Amino acid sequence: MTRYFARRVLTSVGVALGVLVFTFSMLHLAPGDPVIAMLGRQAATPERIEALRGELGLDRPLPVQFADYFGGVLRGELGTSIQTRRPVADAIAEQLPSTLQLMLAAMLVAVVIGGVVGVVSATRAGSRLDRSLTVGSLAAVSVPSFWLALLLILVFAVWLGWLPAAASSGEVRGLVLPALALGIGEGAILARLIRANLVEQLTGPHIDAARARGLRERRVVGVYALRNAMLPVVTIIGLQFGYLLAGSVVIETIFARQGLGRLAVQAVSAQDFPLAQGIVLVMALTYVAINTLTDLTYVWLDPRVRL
Amino acid sequence: MRRRCTRTALALLFCLTLLAAACGSDDPAPDDDEDTTQDAEDPGDAADPGPVDDDDADDLQDGVDALATAGGTLTVGLSSEPISLDPGDGLFIAEHQVLMHVFDTLVRLTPDGSLVPGLATEWSANDEGTAFDFTLRDDVTFHDGTPFDAEAVIAQFDRLAATTDGAGVAPGVLAGYESATAEGNTLEVTFSESKPELLRDLTRAWMGIPSPTAMADAAEPSREPVGTGPFVLEEWAAQDRMVLRRNDDYAWGAPELGHDGPPLVDELVIRFLPDSSSRMAAFETGEADVIEEPQFLQVAGLVEAGRAELASFQAPGMPTHMMLNTENPPTDDPVVREAMILAVDTAELVETAFAGLQSPANNVLSPTTFGFSPQAAATYAPDPAAATALLEEAGWIDEDGDGVREKDGQRLTIEYPASPDWEGAYMELLTAYLTAAGFEVNLTQMDDAGIFEVANAGEHHLVSMAWISGSPSVLPIVYHSDNIEQGSAFTRFRDAELDELFDQAAVTVDDGQRSALYAQAQIIIMDNALAVPLYTLDRVLLLQPELTGFAFDAEGYAWLPGVAVGG
């Protein structure tokens, strides 16, 4: 177990380093200039650009800038935002809770939808209900989340007036629509996966054996079949957190929520290097942490797996 | 039961899909829009500072004042978020919009362009415009209890003058600053150069005066603004909102905008809603009482249904126009440039691209700007047929029938670097007008930095320009030949007479003479066909119908202390 964790931490460091090098070069090699983004095209003059670039240290050679930045990260400093001149860590700490909240809520939506639809479909495989659920899941997977978000706003906020369209962070009611918009598509994927695995499990000899012993159908499905069927699903759920992180970029903008995704968009469009790098780093570490948790869940679900 | 629910949910989803598709196709129907936007554009509605009729205004204002104790919360949805609330850093619209409610300026500008007292009750300047005396109010306190006095102004001016970096506007306003000295309640400020525009520049929110004690103590001045204004900043949650509380002591502004004394609402909440469709949704659900930049195609419908009031203001400064490169063939030929101006039907352009909610421009200054020249504005009237005739006459003829004119083996090809962020609404349309006249337009989409690079190197033929400003002094920044190598003079036009007019205007203190100099400059710019004017930057806001007391300030920013929320 200790060895497993040591390996995991080492891998995370490697991932973080790779992410740092990659985002640093991507951002700095991309066309554009944070200084012109700051000044605006009209007010920019070569003199002002030079002065500001010098002040921000952007006139130094790239390797020097990277070494400087990397040294800071090792000391736990993420630097200062070019645009707002605030510490990057503060800006991220302010936005991270909202994104985590959204991801967890969306995952809850996805798991509930996926679980219910998947089990219902599998236990009635081939029925009309199963077929319509299949069509519904396919539709839900195909619908882009931003479009679903607009649709949800139109129906539940503008027409019905049940939920806010752009709630302030901290308002629980305001979490419902963003979580649905982000979670429904992932839920549909889970539903397809659970259905397929469960159908396969339900035809296995251990199920026949369980039924032959007179166990109740609920126990047969819920324990004997579902637990086995969930093994690959858990891996997928871990991976889906990555999609949710990516999806939060759009969803946070549409619902005007606080969050890292929206901050990332702003940082990249303003070419605010330190901020963008900090966000990507935190996102990558979050992702690694979640996948570590996923692997631990695997151990719990499947006693054959040892760490 | 569960089975039925899932089925119902599925059915609902499909119905919604169909409905949404049906609604979507309604909006862009051109017939609907033309009729309804006529009403929306009605100047009676649009230019009036408040959404109420003049006759009823007094009665209503009485009623509103009676309601003043009712207070309530006013929620405003902005499309972007301020980066900094340190006035010295201010640059963007969102920043001005907030700063003006937290800080006061020495002098204020009325919507008709005259200067009225702010924190200064009187002022005077010497004949050269290099020294200014201000008499300051002695009954003003900052939000933190610090009394306002001349020392506070001196501290801020010294601080701005010492600022050599950063993107803010304010340090530039004080260019040539020598010193400020106080004697009791009077303040003398001297400059090494003539400052004819200083007083007008001082009316902008970036010239607001912060509390010197708060500035000295603040860990992050950009996030802890302490001024004397009608609202006090209480909370700023980035990417979410700002909460501002009424300053109960506010007794020094702004009668010229229809309301003096403390704001009517208890609380002003500013939400940052970058996505236009969610901004619209927040307005339609009533979560926002006021929004800026609504989706233009939907405005007319909401106004007609009585669910929104439209407030619109033609901003002063340079309207959106295309600067033409006079050094790069074929736009080095004045005839080609003139044909480009004539080819663009600006009235149709604003109707198509903005549902008529922006106004056609015909000059490099908008009509609400000090020094605007009607004569320059009358130089051209859009006429695509005349554009074609002009080109034919000059020998630009499409001989090989590929739709592009040629002359002496040279094709009529122009390079158009465009930013989809700013020009997305019209760049294709503009391209279509020019193509119809026989141009080949190479539209290349890039970001601001890329455009600056291309235009600074003179590789473009046309590049967009726009600048909100109460003063015509922005003109030389982009039309004085000194700024060709060192700035944004993207027409690369060298004319001694034009430069001289700008130089003269910069040191002419007399308003009438200065205005005449700028007028002459506009005439030269338009006579030489240096720019294709497109549309003036009209600030468009939607207000909930029950709102009263809304006003625009002189530059078209929303002034909110007089607003009362109904219900």
Side-chain angles (χ1 to χ4, degrees):
Chain A
M1 195 78 172
T2 325
R3 190 189 255 178
Y4 169 80
F5 266 110
R7 225 178 37 228
R8 221 44 224 235
V9 168
L10 270 180
T11 322
S12 311
V13 170
V15 168
L17 185 63
V19 163
L20 271 185
V21 174
F22 185 69
T23 47
F24 188 90
S25 13
M26 284 289 282
L27 285 168
H28 282 81
L29 297 179
D33 188 326
V35 171
I36 293 179
M38 265 176 92
L39 290 173
R41 198 197 318 162
Q42 293 98 327
T45 66
E47 274 171 16
R48 289 189 80 186
I49 293 172
E50 271 321 297
L52 207 53
R53 211 173 262 158
E55 193 221 342
L56 295 168
L58 295 172
D59 51 354
R60 299 169 303 162
L62 272 192
V64 176
Q65 288 187 50
F66 182 76
D68 192 38
Y69 178 73
F70 188 65
V73 171
L74 286 184
R75 290 191 302 275
E77 292 161 14
L78 292 176
T80 313
S81 154
I82 291 180
Q83 229 192 355
T84 63
R85 306 192 186 193
R86 293 184 75 198
V88 167
D90 287 4
I92 291 178
E94 192 178 34
Q95 304 293 326
L96 186 61
S98 176
T99 297
L100 291 180
Q101 212 180 33
L102 174 63
M103 280 172 61
L104 290 176
M107 199 33 101
L108 187 70
V109 168
V111 169
V112 169
I113 290 181
V116 170
V117 174
V119 171
V120 168
S121 292
T123 49
R124 292 172 181 73
S127 69
R128 263 171 66 186
L129 175 64
D130 176 35
R131 285 203 302 273
S132 38
L133 284 176
T134 303
V135 173
S137 315
L138 271 177
V141 173
S142 323
V143 166
S145 64
F146 73 86
W147 187 80
L148 189 61
L150 292 175
L151 202 65
L152 289 170
I153 289 178
L154 186 69
V155 175
F156 294 102
V158 177
W159 290 351
L160 299 173
W162 291 349
L163 292 161
S168 252
S169 304
E171 245 185 274
V172 179
R173 264 159 32 97
L175 192 58
V176 178
L177 293 184
L180 283 175
L182 195 54
I184 285 178
E186 301 302 324
I189 294 176
L190 286 183
R192 302 295 304 138
L193 199 69
I194 291 174
R195 181 194 175 277
N197 288 330
L198 201 55
V199 165
E200 197 190 319
Q201 286 293 329
L202 284 172
T203 56
H206 62 298
I207 297 298
D208 290 341
R211 281 189 180 137
R213 287 198 184 102
L215 288 179
R216 287 164 122 202
E217 187 64 13
R218 179 173 295 197
R219 195 168 156 75
V220 171
V221 175
V223 177
Y224 287 76
L226 194 56
R227 190 159 171 166
N228 282 332
M230 283 307 277
L231 285 173
V233 175
V234 166
T235 315
I236 297 296
I237 289 179
L239 293 173
Q240 276 183 326
F241 271 105
Y243 292 108
L244 290 181
L245 258 179
S248 70
V249 171
V250 175
I251 295 301
E252 283 167 0
T253 305
I254 293 182
F255 287 96
R257 280 180 64 82
Q258 280 192 316
L260 273 194
R262 199 171 145 198
L263 192 64
V265 175
Q266 192 206 318
V268 170
S269 59
Q271 301 218 302
D272 194 333
F273 303 138
L275 186 56
Q277 282 155 200
I279 295 168
V280 174
L281 185 65
V282 168
M283 280 187 165
L285 292 179
T286 310
Y287 189 59
V288 169
I290 286 169
N291 275 287
T292 309
L293 278 178
T294 313
D295 289 357
L296 291 178
T297 316
Y298 221 95
V299 178
W300 173 71
L301 274 176
D302 187 353
R304 288 170 301 181
V305 177
R306 291 266 159 69
L307 293 178
Chain B
M1 188 61 197
R2 182 187 290 166
R3 195 183 303 177
R4 194 176 299 156
C5 280
T6 2
R7 215 174 263 178
T8 322
L10 267 175
L12 187 71
L13 188 72
F14 281 117
C15 293
L16 292 180
T17 314
L18 290 175
L19 264 172
C23 295
S25 62
D26 261 350
D27 284 340
D31 290 357
D32 281 359
D33 286 332
E34 254 168 49
D35 291 343
T36 47
T37 43
Q38 289 296 322
D39 293 333
E41 218 189 41
D42 182 331
D45 268 5
D48 222 332
V52 288
D53 291 334
D54 284 343
D55 298 339
D56 304 332
D58 290 339
D59 294 350
L60 259 175
Q61 191 58 44
D62 291 346
V64 165
D65 289 341
L67 278 172
T69 44
T73 299
L74 172 67
T75 307
V76 177
L78 297 185
S79 62
S80 57
E81 179 171 358
I83 291 170
S84 163
L85 286 185
D86 177 348
D89 290 340
L91 173 69
F92 298 107
I93 289 177
E95 286 164 355
H96 198 288
Q97 187 62 73
V98 178
L99 288 172
M100 68 192 278
H101 288 103
V102 178
F103 295 94
D104 285 304
T105 52
L106 295 180
V107 189
R108 281 201 271 260
L109 195 61
T110 65
D112 66 7
S114 39
L115 297 167
V116 291
L119 292 175
T121 52
E122 287 169 42
W123 53 88
S124 61
N126 65 357
D127 290 345
E128 296 77 39
T130 55
F132 296 80
D133 287 324
F134 298 91
T135 309
L136 304 179
R137 292 184 72 122
D138 56 7
D139 57 348
V140 175
T141 44
F142 287 102
H143 299 157
D144 62 355
T146 310
F148 166 79
D149 56 15
E151 295 304 326
V153 183
I154 295 174
Q156 176 65 1
F157 280 12
D158 285 348
R159 192 172 151 259
L160 291 177
T163 306
T164 51
D165 50 45
V169 175
V173 169
L174 292 186
Y177 173 81
E178 276 181 343
S179 68
T181 47
E183 209 184 288
N185 260 338
T186 61
L187 173 76
E188 192 192 8
V189 190
T190 57
F191 294 89
S192 60
E193 55 188 67
S194 216
K195 304 287 285 184
E197 293 291 338
L198 181 77
L199 290 171
R200 203 170 261 105
D201 283 343
L202 285 181
T203 65
R204 311 192 75 192
W206 357 98
M207 300 312 292
I209 309 297
S211 158
T213 42
M215 271 294 173
D217 296 344
E220 277 188 293
S222 63
R223 300 187 72 80
E224 303 164 45
V226 178
T228 58
F231 287 99
V232 182
L233 181 74
E234 281 208 323
E235 183 200 342
W236 180 359
Q239 302 202 94
D240 183 8
R241 62 184 180 158
M242 282 179 186
V243 180
L244 298 104
R245 182 173 38 81
R246 164 171 63 192
N247 177 4
D248 287 320
D249 301 330
Y250 194 67
W252 38 88
E256 77 279 8
L257 298 177
H259 176 82
D260 49 5
L264 294 181
V265 293
D266 294 330
E267 198 180 53
L268 170 62
V269 174
I270 295 179
R271 294 291 320 275
F272 311 117
L273 308 172
D275 182 72
S276 64
S277 44
S278 48
R279 202 158 56 241
M280 277 315 266
F283 179 82
E284 289 187 60
T285 58
E287 288 164 65
D289 300 305
V290 178
I291 56 164
E292 66 172 1
E293 294 177 47
Q295 290 182 318
F296 287 162
L297 284 178
Q298 293 189 29
V299 167
L302 282 177
V303 171
E304 260 198 354
R307 290 163 57 203
E309 293 272 355
L310 175 69
S312 146
F313 186 97
Q314 193 170 34
M318 293 194 282
T320 300
H321 63 280
M322 307 306 301
M323 299 181 74
L324 304 177
N325 187 346
T326 58
E327 283 183 352
N328 198 2
T331 49
D332 60 337
D333 180 353
V335 174
V336 171
R337 298 200 299 267
E338 190 177 330
M340 289 171 80
I341 300 177
L342 295 174
V344 180
D345 186 341
T346 45
E348 192 182 76
L349 182 134
V350 296
E351 211 46 66
T352 312
F354 305 109
L357 290 170
Q358 306 280 293
S359 317
N362 41 26
N363 190 0
V364 286
L365 285 184
S366 89
T368 47
T369 323
F370 171 82
F372 167 78
S373 162
Q375 191 191 330
T379 315
Y380 309 97
D383 186 347
T388 314
L390 206 59
L391 288 169
E392 302 264 339
E393 207 176 298
W396 289 98
I397 291 157
D398 177 18
E399 273 164 358
D400 54 10
D402 65 349
V404 179
R405 297 174 188 278
E406 303 95 28
K407 181 182 174 181
D408 307 331
Q410 188 197 354
R411 284 162 71 83
L412 195 54
T413 304
I414 50 175
E415 297 297 329
Y416 174 20
S419 151
D421 287 350
W422 310 118
E423 301 171 65
Y426 66 80
M427 59 189 187
E428 304 284 359
L429 206 53
L430 177 64
T431 303
Y433 283 124
L434 295 174
T435 309
F439 286 84
E440 178 182 48
V441 183
N442 291 332
L443 171 68
T444 317
Q445 301 191 21
M446 46 180 89
D447 67 359
D448 265 4
I451 293 176
F452 185 81
E453 208 167 286
V454 170
N456 206 39
E459 290 159 3
H460 63 295
H461 289 103
L462 71 172
V463 65
S464 82
M465 177 56 64
W467 201 322
I468 296 179
S469 163
S471 146
S473 58
V474 288
L475 270 185
I477 301 178
V478 297
Y479 284 102
H480 195 298
S481 71
D482 279 358
N483 298 324
I484 291 177
E485 306 305 333
Q486 283 297 312
S488 322
F490 299 138
T491 60
R492 310 180 77 83
F493 181 67
R494 297 166 208 272
D495 183 83
E497 194 190 344
L498 183 62
D499 289 352
E500 177 59 23
L501 285 168
F502 285 140
D503 294 340
Q504 275 295 317
V507 295
T508 302
V509 179
D510 181 82
D511 274 1
Q513 287 175 19
R514 194 168 70 258
S515 168
L517 290 167
Y518 280 121
Q520 195 55 38
Q522 292 160 61
I523 291 168
I524 292 182
I525 291 171
M526 292 314 293
D527 276 351
N528 285 282
L530 302 186
V532 184
L534 296 179
Y535 60 95
T536 61
L537 297 165
D538 297 357
R539 200 154 151 71
V540 179
L541 285 93
L542 280 190
L543 320 173
Q544 297 291 355
E546 66 271 17
L547 227 69
T548 56
F550 177 85
F552 281 116
D553 79 347
E555 289 188 28
Y557 294 101
W559 177 247
L560 303 167
V563 173
V565 286

